[in-house]
Amino acid sequence: MTHFFSVVIPVYNGWEYLQKTLKSFCHQTFKNFEVIIADDGSTDNTGELVQGAKWSFPLRYYRQEHAGRAAARNLGWKNSRGNIVLFIDSHGLLDASCLDEHYKAHLKTEGSDVALVFGHLALIGDIANFGRKDFSATKQQQKWMLKHEQDPFRACKTGNVSIRKTILEKIGGFDEDFKGYGFEDAEFGLRLKKAGYRFKANWLATIYVFSLHQTLAGRCQKMREAGHNAVLFRKKHPWIGLQLVNPISR
């Protein structure tokens, strides 16, 4: 059976976050999907726990030596069976209608030059805040998404984006020269735009992103990686004015 959606989740350690994310798939109103865990060389017991748990949906696990998020996403989508690939992070809870909303958006834009649908990333802080108030997109956030709908720096954050697999194959996926954190998704979006594709916002496709409990040293390492990748991005695309979007904010 061909799954309409293949959800790719890159992960590097952090089973306590990933299991919460996976549980949110049990309540999706859209049922025709599979989940692929792309393990970027985790050093904890993520692999054993993922493969040892039983879920109400198809889940497959792949592992590579630590090579970065770009390579992990490529590992995931290249092993996918769906027509559409949804990329998310390992620390977010999907709204029950998230997959359904991505499906509706792709259905409406079928046959057009729209390649990618991006949803609303609701930053909820501590996971205990989930369900305590309404985190759906405000009117201001909706206007922001429409204003930046064709901006790859903002539309292509891979915490909540879906794209047809045939286009991934045509574009070549993510650039694996980006080993660390940051800018690999914007670079991918920029190549999509240069190839003549457009993006579509759907703020009803919501993922509730909860905070990771990171040490100061861990956050500093992320910032160093993002800085390195910003330089790499500039070298690859010297013709574009680099828009400084803070990749650490999520």
Side-chain angles (χ1 to χ4, degrees):
M1 174 181 175
T2 300
H3 300 274
F4 188 86
F5 273 101
S6 292
V7 184
V8 173
I9 310 177
V11 60
Y12 178 67
N13 297 333
W15 165 250
E16 68 273 20
Y17 305 113
L18 178 61
Q19 65 175 329
K20 294 178 174 64
T21 298
L22 290 175
K23 286 179 181 178
S24 67
F25 284 96
C26 298
H27 309 291
Q28 289 298 298
T29 56
F30 188 93
K31 304 297 184 183
N32 194 10
F33 69 93
E34 66 174 356
V35 176
I36 298 174
I37 304 299
D39 189 341
D40 187 30
S42 293
T43 56
D44 62 5
N45 57 348
T46 292
E48 291 82 355
L49 291 168
V50 167
Q51 296 177 92
K54 294 188 180 297
W55 303 96
S56 60
F57 50 86
L59 184 146
R60 290 185 290 129
Y61 172 85
Y62 297 92
R63 189 182 190 279
Q64 66 181 18
E65 293 302 315
H66 189 47
R69 294 153 59 92
R73 292 196 192 100
N74 286 342
L75 174 68
W77 75 259
K78 287 178 180 178
N79 284 285
S80 65
R81 298 169 180 167
N83 309 103
I84 303 291
V85 179
L86 172 65
F87 293 103
I88 71 169
D89 291 326
S90 60
H91 55 104
L93 306 175
L94 277 73
D95 185 83
S97 63
C98 183
L99 288 178
D100 200 28
E101 288 296 336
H102 274 279
Y103 167 71
K104 290 175 182 177
H106 281 284
L107 199 61
K108 289 178 180 177
T109 58
E110 189 173 8
S112 72
D113 57 356
V114 172
L116 179 145
V117 174
F118 67 101
H120 172 48
L121 287 170
L123 305 179
I124 65 173
D126 193 286
I127 195 171
N129 294 327
F130 181 64
R132 291 183 176 178
K133 73 171 192 175
D134 184 8
F135 285 96
S136 57
T138 63
K139 292 293 184 182
Q140 183 178 0
Q141 289 169 326
Q142 293 172 25
K143 290 179 180 179
W144 185 93
M145 291 177 74
L146 289 175
K147 178 181 178 181
H148 300 290
E149 192 171 39
Q150 303 309 317
D151 182 351
F153 284 83
R154 294 171 171 85
C156 298
K157 289 186 176 180
T158 41
N160 188 3
V161 299
S162 59
I163 183 171
R164 295 195 297 275
K165 186 176 179 179
T166 53
I167 295 176
L168 278 167
E169 292 169 339
K170 183 176 180 179
I171 296 297
F174 295 86
D175 187 337
E176 297 184 15
D177 286 346
F178 291 87
K179 302 297 183 183
Y181 182 86
F183 288 94
E184 81 288 346
D185 43 8
E187 196 277 339
F188 170 70
L190 184 61
R191 282 187 284 118
L192 278 174
K193 189 170 184 177
K194 287 177 66 178
Y197 293 109
R198 299 174 67 249
F199 315 128
K200 179 66 177 177
N202 183 359
W203 49 81
L204 297 177
T206 301
I207 293 182
Y208 307 96
V209 181
F210 53 90
S211 299
L212 299 175
H213 298 296
Q214 295 178 318
T215 64
L216 177 60
R219 290 187 64 82
C220 288
Q221 178 60 29
K222 268 192 171 182
M223 293 177 72
R224 284 191 290 269
E225 291 176 0
H228 173 82
N229 280 353
V231 173
L232 178 60
F233 180 95
R234 184 67 181 210
K235 287 180 178 178
K236 287 179 176 289
H237 304 283
W239 53 272
I240 190 170
L242 183 61
Q243 303 177 49
L244 296 178
V245 178
N246 180 8
I248 308 300
S249 62
R250 59 190 174 89

